Amino acid sequence: MRQNVSQKMTVAVLGASGATGRQVVSTARRRGHKVIALVRRPGTFETGEALWPDVTDASALAGALAGADVVISALGGAGKGPTTVCTDGIRSAVTAMRSAGVTRLIAVSAHGVLETHDKSLYSRAVWAGVADRMRDKETMEPLITASGLEWTIVRPPALSDHDGAGDHRTGVDLPIRLWSSIGRAGLAAFLMDEAESPRYVRACPRITR
């Protein structure tokens, strides 16, 4: 599936109230798209919210996804300790998307999972710092790749708030160094670029400044 960049879409954003999710919502709206912002609690956005308090509730999500052209997942665990929010949320999302007839899924994962969980300095450092979140991403990704959907898994390095939306490079084999990072605005811009004009369907691109 390839979207015409001039075509206005309905974009459903999972994890819309998080730091990355907010950037995705604002970027999509700025480009003229309709947004369904999935949130756990009401009041995060003035318009376009859909409540999804329990990430294991696929039926509630299916109703919210009616009419969506693409689902962008910016789900992520908060704080320290074991988390399954990405795994549980994507499991529900796959089921809900099938029910709602939505085929395009773009999910934020992390560099350092699965085949990129190697002996590089970056991988060792990120696993030493946020191993619980990385495990959650590792169990999330196979659910996506086995889903039969038109998926893209984006694997950024460390996220920051310091850079602009246009300053980034992407590629499936892009080198990621210990110091690599990407601003959330740049990540959100790439996610929306991929929604509008897919380049990495059933692929796992990396992105960095």
Side-chain angles (χ1 to χ4, degrees), residues 134-150:
M134 299 298 281
R135 290 188 189 96
D136 190 21
K137 301 289 190 183
E138 283 207 324
T139 55
M140 171 192 76
E141 286 200 12
L143 299 175
I144 298 172
T145 57
S147 67
L149 299 170
E150 295 177 349

Side-chain angles (χ1 to χ4, degrees), residues 185-200:
L187 175 58
F190 173 65
L191 295 171
M192 284 307 306
D193 288 347
E194 185 62 22
E196 293 171 342
S197 298
R199 295 172 54 203
Y200 295 104

Side-chain angles (χ1 to χ4, degrees), residues 19 80-81 85-86 93-94 96 101 118 125-126 133 166 168 170 182 187 193 195:
K80 296 182 179 180
V85 66
C86 294
V94 169
D118 52 26
V126 74
R133 296 187 192 182
H168 61 263
T170 61
I182 181 68
L187 175 58
D193 288 347

Side-chain angles (χ1 to χ4, degrees), residues 7-18:
Q7 177 182 344
K8 301 309 178 185
M9 298 182 293
T10 297
V11 182
V13 182
L14 311 184
S17 60

Side-chain angles (χ1 to χ4, degrees), residues 4-207:
N4 184 328
V5 294
S6 65
Q7 177 182 344
K8 301 309 178 185
M9 298 182 293
T10 297
V11 182
V13 182
L14 311 184
S17 60
T20 299
R22 289 172 184 264
Q23 289 284 352
V24 177
V25 170
S26 63
T27 301
R29 286 177 171 169
R30 190 164 56 247
R31 296 186 184 189
H33 302 298
K34 178 182 177 181
V35 176
I36 304 169
L38 278 300
V39 296
R40 298 186 68 178
R41 302 175 187 84
T44 304
F45 303 97
E46 292 184 1
T47 60
E49 285 186 340
L51 290 182
W52 188 36
D54 180 0
V55 295
T56 66
D57 190 346
S59 60
L61 181 59
L65 296 183
D69 297 296
V70 58
V71 174
I72 298 179
S73 173
L75 291 168
K80 296 182 179 180
T83 179
T84 59
V85 66
C86 294
T87 303
D88 293 340
I90 287 298
R91 182 179 290 110
S92 296
V94 169
T95 300
M97 289 175 68
R98 288 171 178 162
S99 178
V102 185
T103 61
R104 185 73 171 112
L105 172 62
I106 304 171
V108 178
S109 183
H111 185 75
V113 302
L114 298 178
E115 77 279 0
T116 62
H117 185 181
D118 52 26
K119 295 181 179 180
S120 68
L121 289 176
Y122 180 88
S123 182
R124 285 188 284 174
V126 74
W127 275 88
V130 288
D132 290 314
R133 296 187 192 182
M134 299 298 281
R135 290 188 189 96
D136 190 21
K137 301 289 190 183
E138 283 207 324
T139 55
M140 171 192 76
E141 286 200 12
L143 299 175
I144 298 172
T145 57
S147 67
L149 299 170
E150 295 177 349
W151 55 266
T152 300
I153 296 171
V154 183
R155 290 173 170 168
L159 299 179
S160 70
D161 296 312
H162 66 267
D163 68 345
D167 184 19
H168 61 263
R169 296 174 291 128
T170 61
V172 293
D173 296 315
L174 196 69
I176 300 296
R177 311 300 186 191
L178 181 61
W179 55 86
S180 295
S181 68
I182 181 68
R184 291 181 175 87
L187 175 58
F190 173 65
L191 295 171
M192 284 307 306
D193 288 347
E194 185 62 22
E196 293 171 342
S197 298
R199 295 172 54 203
Y200 295 104
V201 176
R202 297 191 175 93
C204 301
R206 308 169 188 177
I207 179 170

